[in-house]
Amino acid sequence: MCWYEQLDEKVREYLPDMTMEREVPLSKHTSFRIGGPARRLAFPANREQLVILMGLAESCGVKPFLLGRGTNLLVDDRGLDTLVIKTAEHMTAVRQLDEVTLEADAGILLNHLAVYAQQHGLSGLEFAHGIPGTLGGAICMNAGAYGGEMRQVVTEVTALLPEGVRRFTAEEAAFGYRRSAFLDTEAVVLGARLRLTPDDPAAIRRRMDDLMARRRQSQPLEYPSAGSTFKRPEGYFAGTLIEQTGLKGLTVGGAQVSTKHAGFVINVGGATSADVEELIRQVQQAVYAAHGVHLEPEVRIVR
């Protein structure tokens, strides 16, 4: 019996209320609208189900892939022969612990969390309102925009490790530029606590609306993408280097360097993962030849 047949049996026995689908095209679950089928795609409803599911997967000899909302990812067209776990569907609980502290599950969308904070008169997440990912993914990547970063507000992270569930302080989370202690490790972020600042809800809303307007004006939100394609090289801006190299509009198959913002590779229709990877390679090569700067992808390539 193969691993996914074993997993099917165990899920029926131990998690009968959890949704798990078979051979699901991940193009339907990624912001790039690219990706082949996942052998199994599960949607845990809460932290407890996720912890149990991880244990079941381990007992079947399979290492799951945490999808979150599927942003900042480029999934191979051939798909993933593993269990993919999407937290963004149901793991979205949030509550206010005291006057300045929120606790939320990893699957809550950042824009929903920012709106919740605004409605409760708490400032500090305005920058996150337009970031199209989950809290868990944002913590792993220390997501940021417009001068704000997750490390400015996260005070505690709860994560599942091979030895069990553990809480991490902000210092232990080791946040850096687009990285944390949870990135590319066996740790699975379950949720976090955030410390915010009391403020007038109307004033917070105005700041959020202003940042969203700036985002819409400057970014190609009308096309599928994974957000900023490259990390910011020290002393430069990736988009500026790409534009100065004359690469706006450069196209491979259905993938294109956005003519609106050169830091974004977009799917203009029918792009494959191979198209995007080749376009990234061409951009890296051209920018290095012109400026001597190596651009490191921010988008995670998953095979």
Side-chain angles (χ1 to χ4, degrees), residues 12 17 25 48-49 60 65 92 120 139 141 162 180 192 200 207 209 231-232 237 261 263 274 290-291:
R12 281 194 293 268
D17 297 328
E48 291 73 23
Q49 282 194 353
C60 296
F65 176 73
T92 58
H120 289 75
I139 287 171
M141 292 289 293
S180 74
D200 174 49
R207 291 194 292 270
D209 290 345
K231 295 180 180 179
R232 186 180 68 241
F237 291 100
H261 188 312
H291 303 281

Side-chain angles (χ1 to χ4, degrees), residues 25-88:
L26 289 173
S27 57
K28 297 180 178 179
H29 295 274
T30 62
S31 62
F32 234 144
R33 297 293 178 260
I34 294 172
R39 186 72 72 182
R40 293 293 184 270
L41 179 61
F43 304 87
N46 50 51
R47 300 186 190 193
E48 291 73 23
Q49 282 194 353
L50 177 54
V51 170
I52 293 170
L53 180 59
M54 293 295 293
L56 297 181
E58 183 180 3
S59 71
C60 296
V62 62
K63 184 177 180 180
F65 176 73
L66 271 291
L67 185 70
R69 193 189 185 188
T71 57
N72 203 47
L73 299 174
L74 177 63
V75 177
D76 195 285
D77 299 307
R78 293 167 293 186
L80 302 177
D81 184 22
T82 188
L83 167 65
V84 177
I85 301 174
K86 188 172 185 180
T87 58

Side-chain angles (χ1 to χ4, degrees), residues 236-298:
Y236 301 92
F237 291 100
T240 302
L241 290 174
I242 296 167
E243 184 172 358
Q244 289 174 347
T245 312
L247 301 179
K248 270 189 171 183
L250 180 65
T251 302
V252 174
Q256 182 183 89
V257 176
S258 169
T259 57
K260 192 173 187 179
H261 188 312
F264 285 67
V265 168
I266 58 176
N267 181 354
V268 295
T272 65
S273 63
D275 292 341
V276 175
E277 288 194 63
E278 174 58 21
L279 184 55
I280 287 174
R281 188 195 67 79
Q282 290 186 20
V283 169
Q284 288 175 314
Q285 187 176 48
V287 168
Y288 187 80
H291 303 281
V293 177
H294 175 69
L295 294 181
E296 182 181 353
E298 184 171 320

